């Protein structure tokens, strides 16, 4: 066979693979969204003590079934091999973090819940690493788009079909039976993603390109929902993420011009609606309650005592939910780092910080690549700093099977993919 014939045959195979890829691109999206919805969307009210006790109802079984289906899909499509693969340091960090969480489940005082969460971490890790190995950047952009669409649709659903609110949160917006803090976490991530696509609309990137009005409408819906949740940590995260977007989108003199214009806009907004902004963050609470960050400082003081009891390995995965619940009536560490220090000790906290630093450093280093994946760099950095800011007040980023945990693993995969990590047999060819 001549060289030209071989080249034509290779081009034909590439065209077929691209055609299959367009059809198969939905699988990473639906798998990722299925795990997030199964873990976080609450279809009933369940007491905290029932969760840590390990008792299962039909919704818990459906959550486990969703993870099992995704695990089976990944196993059938990408069967594990004994061949050792070369991994970058971000991949090593995310594997190390997953291993720490799994090991911490073995000595947890709430063994049943911890083992379920550990298995969910394994499935989530397998999914994100499969995406990194077998997909292109088109897949992660599709996940970001449809995640934002899911959150926007959830806001509309929450308005059209309002569920009974928690007695302690009568005026805060949410949907289904999510706690407003959890809803705020979803909305903050969606707002940052949509703002990045709006500001970077003209930048070259992979993935779908929806009309600009679609991004603007979704952004307005999610921003309104975020304000309605009255979740201060999520609002802070969205603001930090938005500032990161404006700083990363432009360079040189243009960056400083945008910064000055933004300061003018913020000053004008404060002069025009300063009282409304203050009331949003104060939420009608007393000065004493605000000084304690809504009882968080009391919880963190007890967390420090619990950490000193087992500083190296912690009390075990999900231990913070039960320990704090028994002591002061609050479940979880209400801070990502505090939650990990109690659950996994210094070992887990250090690995988590290394993972965050690895993703951040890897995304910053993308500027040196040619051609520069600029839009990917903006999305990864803005989403990451937004979640880190929000993690000061909620434990989602330092807890398993949460939307922030899912996005942390996905951002690690996204950074490796944008850096040009060598992929194995493409995803479409095995479907």
């Amino acid at each position: 066979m001549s060289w030209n014939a071989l080249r034509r045959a290779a081009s034909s195979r590439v065209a077929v693979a691209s055609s299959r890829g367009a059809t198969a691109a939905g699988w990473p999206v639906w798998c990722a969204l299925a795990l997030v919805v199964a873990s976080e969307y609450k279809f009933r009210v369940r007491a905290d003590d029932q969760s840590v006790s390990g008792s299962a109802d039909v919704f818990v079984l459906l959550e486990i079934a969703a993870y099992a289906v995704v695990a089976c899909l990944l196993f059938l499509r990408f069967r594990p091999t004994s061949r050792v693969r070369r991994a970058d340091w971000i991949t090593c960090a995310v594997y190390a973090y997953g291993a720490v969480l799994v090991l911490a489940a073995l000595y947890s005082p709430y063994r049943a819940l911890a083992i379920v969460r550990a298995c969910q971490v394994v499935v989530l890790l397998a999914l994100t690493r499969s995406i990194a190995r077998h997909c292109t950047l088109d897949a992660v952009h599709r996940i970001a788009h449809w995640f934002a669409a899911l959150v926007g649709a959830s806001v509309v659903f929450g308005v059209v079909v309002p569920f009974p609110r928690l007695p302690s949160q009568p005026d805060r917006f949410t949907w289904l039976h999510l706690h407003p803090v959890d809803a705020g976490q979803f909305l903050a991530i969606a707002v940052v993603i949509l703002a990045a696509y709006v500001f970077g609309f003209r930048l070259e990137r992979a993935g779908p390109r929806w009309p600009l009005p679609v991004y603007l409408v979704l952004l307005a819906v999610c921003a309104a929902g975020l304000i309605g949740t009255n979740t201060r940590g999520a609002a802070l995260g969205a603001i930090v993420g938005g500032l990161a977007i404006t700083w990363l989108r432009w360079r040189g003199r243009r960056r400083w011009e945008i910064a000055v214009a933004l300061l003018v806009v913020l000053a004008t907004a404060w002069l025009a609606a300063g009282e409304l902004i203050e009331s949003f963050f104060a939420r009608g609470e007393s000065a004493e309650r605000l000084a304690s960050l809504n009882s968080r400082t009391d919880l963190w003081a007890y967390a420090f005592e619990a950490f000193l009891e087992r500083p190296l390995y912690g009390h075990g995965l999900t231990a913070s939910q039960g320990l704090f619940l028994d002591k002061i009536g609050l479940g979880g560490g209400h801070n990502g780092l505090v939650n990990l220090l109690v659950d996994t000790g210094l070992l887990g906290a250090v690995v988590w910080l290394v993972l965050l630093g690895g993703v951040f450093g890897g995304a910053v280093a993308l500027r040196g690549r040619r051609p520069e994946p600029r839009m990917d760099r903006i999305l990864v950095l803005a989403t990451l700093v937004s979640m880190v800011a929000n993690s000061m007040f909620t434990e989602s980023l330092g807890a398993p099977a949460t939307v922030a945990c899912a996005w942390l693993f996905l951002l690690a995969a996204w950074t490796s993919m944008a850096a040009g990590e060598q992929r194995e047999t493409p995803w479409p060819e095995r479907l």
Side-chain angles (χ1 to χ4, degrees), residues 234-253:
L236 175 64
I239 292 171
V240 171
L243 292 175
I245 292 169
T246 57
W247 184 256
L248 296 168
R249 172 61 179 87
W250 291 277
R251 292 174 180 167
R253 181 179 177 181

Side-chain angles (χ1 to χ4, degrees), residues 187-213:
L187 289 161
I189 296 173
V191 164
V192 171
I193 289 172
L194 291 166
Y197 282 125
V198 168
F199 282 101
F201 187 74
R202 298 182 181 276
L203 296 179
E204 292 295 327
R205 62 171 175 82
R209 283 188 175 273
W210 295 347
L212 182 59

Side-chain angles (χ1 to χ4, degrees), residues 29 52 100 105 111 177-178 206 230 250 253 268 271 408:
V29 176
V52 297
V100 168
R111 188 71 57 84
H177 289 294
L178 267 74
N230 208 358
W250 291 277
R253 181 179 177 181
T268 304
L271 292 174
L408 177 58

Side-chain angles (χ1 to χ4, degrees), residues 364-380:
V364 170
L366 293 176
R367 184 172 182 176
R369 295 193 61 82
R370 294 293 181 269
E372 178 190 357
R374 193 171 177 188
M375 192 65 194
D376 302 281
R377 179 169 169 263
I378 292 172
L379 276 163
V380 171

